[in-house]
Amino acid sequence: MTQPHPSARLRLAGMALALSLLQACATAPRQALPTPPLVDEAYAPAPVLPSSQELLALSPAMREFLEQTVRPKVRMYGSKEGLLKALYREGQLRLQYDAEKTRTATETFADGRGNCLSLVLMTAAFAQELQLPVYFRSVLVDPQWTRSDSLIFQSGHVNLGLGTRLQERAFTGTVEAPVIVDFLPEEGQYRSRAVEVSVATITAMYYNNRAAEQLNAGDVHGAYWWARAAVLADPRFSAGFNTLAVLYRRQGRLDLAERVLEQVLAQEADNEVALANMVVVLREAHRTEELARYEQRLASVRPVPPFKYFDDGQEAMKRQDYLAADALFAQELARSGNYHELHFWAALAKLALGQQERAARHLALAAETSPTPGQQRIYEAKREALLARRMH
């Protein structure tokens, strides 16, 4: 397998300014929310979506790989170590990170690529076939922000445990500790800061990611059915409710969007994404008095909006104030260091200041944090061109 992507995170759909803010999948579930207003008749016909069982199903090709490659490793090294050697440690699958689409276990294996949720699903599918205990974990990392056209994405992270949970070992008599399988390369304390989530939550995360991806592609009708599936799969997973509110707002259904967001905020009063989306809804409805109250609430939980320093840095670049732009990009990088476009603009500022080595480094980071192999190649080509120019 190729090296795991440094920002191997899940994209959630959720927020808005004049933009819409979307949340990805790794937020810990809370109390169940009421069923939101659904208007199926406006989006018919309904597509057939994969069930939670189908997300974790093995294809014939996966079963062949299991018999020919995984089981021999299992006989040599044991179930957990043998599975990890076959899937990742000996590089036979050559998987690539790709955030363009969240894939099922079968699709991840067939395509040889996926985001961290895709990789979790595929690993869990093989583990379950080996009768290994599997549990899913939402990792409590600081959220990262990315942007695409009129959507802002807040991203989280999930991983999984193989084997008996530590807290259960005393009751089961199991001596061997579980293995945490994570697709982020960083080592550190964050790995233990996680909450276990159910298959229902993982399923809702998958549906929500697909809804966000459909919204990003401009398919509001398709996004509705994925978002609907997310809120019904796990009513405690509020990111699906935010996604549903965003697509309602995009179609001018401000009353429905407001009702959905009110449900979220009734139980999660400081939900930044829901507050930001509510601000957009109220602004578009021209309800200035209520808008002012929600803007104040939002400012109390988010004093500096996502991409504030980035946007200010781009304005400084237009004024050719490269020192100011460089400082502003550095401020944004301190809180969103895994966003490829931000590294690209930081490279432009460094280049304008004559700091070619640092510009090349930012282009390398832009390639590393790119969500798709195609974008990665573009940044690599730019970096190679810059390095070639330095040699002449």
Side-chain angles (χ1 to χ4, degrees):
M1 170 173 143
T2 57
Q3 281 296 311
H5 193 270
S7 58
R9 291 171 176 250
L10 298 162
R11 295 209 304 177
L12 304 154
M15 181 154 83
L17 318 166
L19 304 171
S20 294
L21 204 152
L22 295 173
Q23 281 180 296
C25 41
T27 50
R30 312 204 183 167
Q31 186 176 346
L33 297 171
T35 301
L38 300 172
V39 284
D40 296 0
E41 64 280 1
Y43 298 94
V48 177
L49 304 184
S51 66
S52 58
Q53 292 79 14
E54 289 169 329
L55 296 183
L56 294 163
L58 266 66
S59 65
M62 293 172 74
R63 293 190 180 280
E64 182 179 352
F65 181 81
L66 180 75
E67 296 303 323
Q68 295 186 0
T69 304
V70 177
R71 290 198 188 279
K73 301 287 184 191
V74 167
R75 287 192 287 271
M76 291 178 65
Y77 302 104
S79 296
K80 293 195 289 288
E81 184 65 20
L83 175 61
L84 295 178
K85 278 184 177 291
L87 291 183
Y88 303 115
R89 292 178 181 163
E90 296 184 357
Q92 290 170 281
L93 288 185
R94 303 189 183 279
L95 295 171
Q96 287 187 313
Y97 178 81
D98 186 350
E100 192 168 18
K101 175 188 174 184
T102 305
R103 294 165 168 83
T104 65
T106 296
E107 291 169 338
T108 303
F109 184 86
D111 296 345
R113 61 185 60 194
N115 60 18
C116 66
L117 179 55
S118 304
L119 293 166
V120 160
L121 291 172
M122 188 191 73
T123 306
F126 279 113
Q128 289 179 352
E129 194 68 19
L130 293 171
Q131 298 186 330
L132 262 173
V134 174
Y135 56 100
F136 302 102
R137 305 164 83 242
S138 174
V139 184
L140 305 179
V141 292
D142 292 333
Q144 291 284 315
W145 304 96
T146 57
R147 183 163 57 181
S148 177
D149 297 326
S150 62
L151 295 174
I152 294 177
F153 294 89
Q154 183 196 72
S155 300
H157 183 57
V158 292
N159 60 25
L160 77 162
L162 298 179
T164 305
R165 300 164 179 78
L166 289 172
Q167 61 268 35
E168 295 176 354
R169 290 169 65 195
F171 299 100
T172 61
T174 304
V175 176
E176 190 177 3
V179 173
I180 303 302
V181 183
D182 199 296
F183 306 101
L184 281 172
E186 296 98 326
E187 300 291 338
Q189 190 112 21
Y190 86 90
R191 290 179 184 273
S192 63
R193 301 201 311 269
V195 294
E196 185 174 341
V197 295
S198 66
V199 173
T201 301
I202 285 291
T203 302
M205 288 178 176
Y206 172 84
Y207 292 152
N208 185 61
N209 270 26
R210 294 294 293 124
E213 290 155 8
Q214 294 294 96
L215 268 178
N216 195 37
D219 182 4
V220 178
H221 280 255
Y224 171 80
W225 293 105
W226 289 109
R228 178 187 185 277
V231 299
L232 295 179
D234 188 353
R236 298 181 304 157
F237 183 62
S238 62
F241 288 74
N242 274 308
T243 304
L244 187 64
V246 168
L247 72 87
Y248 281 156
R249 185 198 68 80
R250 284 201 152 195
Q251 290 210 302
R253 299 172 179 267
L254 300 182
D255 57 331
L256 293 178
E258 183 179 357
R259 285 166 58 191
V260 175
L261 293 169
E262 283 174 343
Q263 289 179 323
V264 176
L265 293 169
Q267 293 193 18
E268 302 177 19
D270 291 338
N271 187 309
E272 175 184 353
V273 172
L275 285 169
N277 281 326
M278 184 67 91
V279 164
V280 174
V281 169
L282 294 173
R283 184 179 295 136
E284 292 186 0
H286 306 292
R287 288 160 53 188
T288 54
E289 198 171 313
E290 293 159 285
L291 172 62
R293 288 201 301 270
Y294 275 97
E295 285 179 330
Q296 189 173 16
R297 285 177 62 179
L298 179 59
S300 70
V301 299
R302 190 197 67 192
V304 181
F307 300 106
K308 165 68 173 158
Y309 301 129
F310 185 19
D311 292 338
D312 289 349
Q314 289 178 309
E315 290 300 316
M317 290 289 286
K318 291 177 185 177
R319 301 192 307 269
Q320 299 184 355
D321 188 350
Y322 302 121
L323 279 172
D326 184 51
L328 287 162
F329 293 146
Q331 282 183 281
E332 195 69 66
L333 282 166
R335 58 182 190 161
S336 295
N338 286 325
Y339 181 40
H340 63 101
E341 190 178 347
L342 179 53
H343 280 293
F344 174 68
W345 278 87
L348 294 181
K350 295 294 186 188
L351 197 58
L353 293 170
Q355 301 174 13
Q356 293 188 335
E357 283 190 18
R358 293 183 178 181
R361 176 60 182 153
H362 276 295
L363 287 174
L365 290 169
E368 286 179 20
T369 56
S370 295
T372 66
Q375 284 184 320
Q376 182 177 352
R377 288 191 291 271
I378 290 171
Y379 288 127
E380 287 172 345
K382 290 179 184 295
R383 179 173 178 269
E384 289 171 5
L386 173 61
L387 294 174
R389 193 169 67 185
R390 284 179 54 208
M391 295 176 65
H392 291 293

